[in-house]
Amino acid sequence: MRHNFLAKSTGSTLNHSNLFLIFAVVRQTPSPHLKNQFPALHWEHELGLAFTKNKMKYTNKFLVIPESGDYFVYSQITFRGTKSECGSISQGRQQIKPDSIIVVITKVTDSYPEPAQLLTGTKSVCEISNNWFQPLYLGAMFSLREGDKLMVNVSDISLVDYTKEDKTFFGAFLL
């Protein structure tokens, strides 16, 4: 049985052999991160709704591109927290709560010495009431090469809502 998937962004049909995907809930594990980068999220890639197919691999925070081509890359990270203390920075003191939340989808490749930011999304949390949650969705098409590695970086890993698979996820598929 061959399944077809409709790619709404292009109006074209993707057959099952072109689908490369990771749909996963993040595990909150702070770890060392690359120079000048926010911490990278770790992903569950085998349990629940999460999967990788057709040579797509997940290794140590990275989704590894199995073949060169045009890919739709996407992520939704849902953040939750309590009322922000915006503008509360006093001299010599760090702010307790963030003014904004940031998500970056980053590409690491052997042909370039520094990681490249593919997509960046930012939302202010200054005007949000006491207990808040904010999803931040990113998605776009990129020409990627075999062996390119993708990761998701966030400004504050402690605010990521990883309680349900439909709140926080990450993936890519070949167009």
Side-chain angles (χ1 to χ4, degrees):
M1 178 194 274
R2 182 167 216 130
H3 298 281
N4 286 325
F5 299 89
L6 181 63
K8 293 186 184 212
S9 61
T10 63
S12 64
T13 302
L14 299 173
N15 68 41
H16 186 56
S17 64
N18 289 343
L19 184 67
F20 303 104
L21 183 67
I22 185 172
F23 183 89
V25 64
V26 68
R27 288 182 291 139
Q28 186 176 330
T29 310
S31 63
H33 49 279
L34 295 172
K35 181 181 167 185
N36 298 325
Q37 296 288 314
F38 290 126
L41 296 178
H42 290 268
W43 298 90
E44 173 55 59
H45 64 287
E46 296 176 327
L47 302 175
L49 297 174
F51 66 92
T52 55
K53 284 188 174 260
N54 302 329
K55 301 180 189 172
M56 183 72 84
K57 290 188 170 62
Y58 173 78
T59 306
N60 190 29
K61 310 180 284 207
F62 294 105
L63 190 58
V64 183
I65 300 301
E67 66 181 78
S68 296
D70 294 335
Y71 286 80
F72 187 78
V73 179
Y74 62 91
S75 178
Q76 177 175 296
I77 309 299
T78 300
F79 294 88
R80 65 179 173 174
T82 57
K83 185 173 174 107
S84 179
E85 305 280 333
C86 295
S88 68
I89 300 174
S90 64
Q91 195 171 12
R93 204 177 86 187
Q94 292 264 342
Q95 185 172 335
I96 297 169
K97 302 288 183 187
D99 284 348
S100 61
I101 48 179
I102 302 168
V103 175
V104 180
I105 297 179
T106 304
K107 177 179 83 168
V108 176
T109 183
D110 293 336
S111 63
Y112 194 72
E114 294 292 322
Q117 293 183 352
L118 296 181
L119 293 168
T120 301
T122 303
K123 280 191 178 181
S124 171
V125 293
C126 285
E127 304 301 321
I128 298 175
S129 63
N130 286 339
N131 292 315
W132 55 269
F133 80 97
Q134 286 290 310
L136 213 159
Y137 180 84
L138 302 171
M141 193 276 305
F142 295 96
S143 290
L144 300 173
R145 295 181 182 247
E146 180 179 349
D148 284 351
K149 295 179 252 182
L150 305 175
M151 66 179 167
V152 177
N153 305 88
V154 296
S155 55
D156 190 339
I157 200 167
S158 69
L159 296 176
V160 174
D161 186 348
Y162 60 95
T163 58
K164 290 193 176 184
E165 296 169 312
D166 63 345
K167 290 184 177 184
T168 297
F169 50 87
F170 168 44
F173 58 85
L174 181 63
L175 298 175

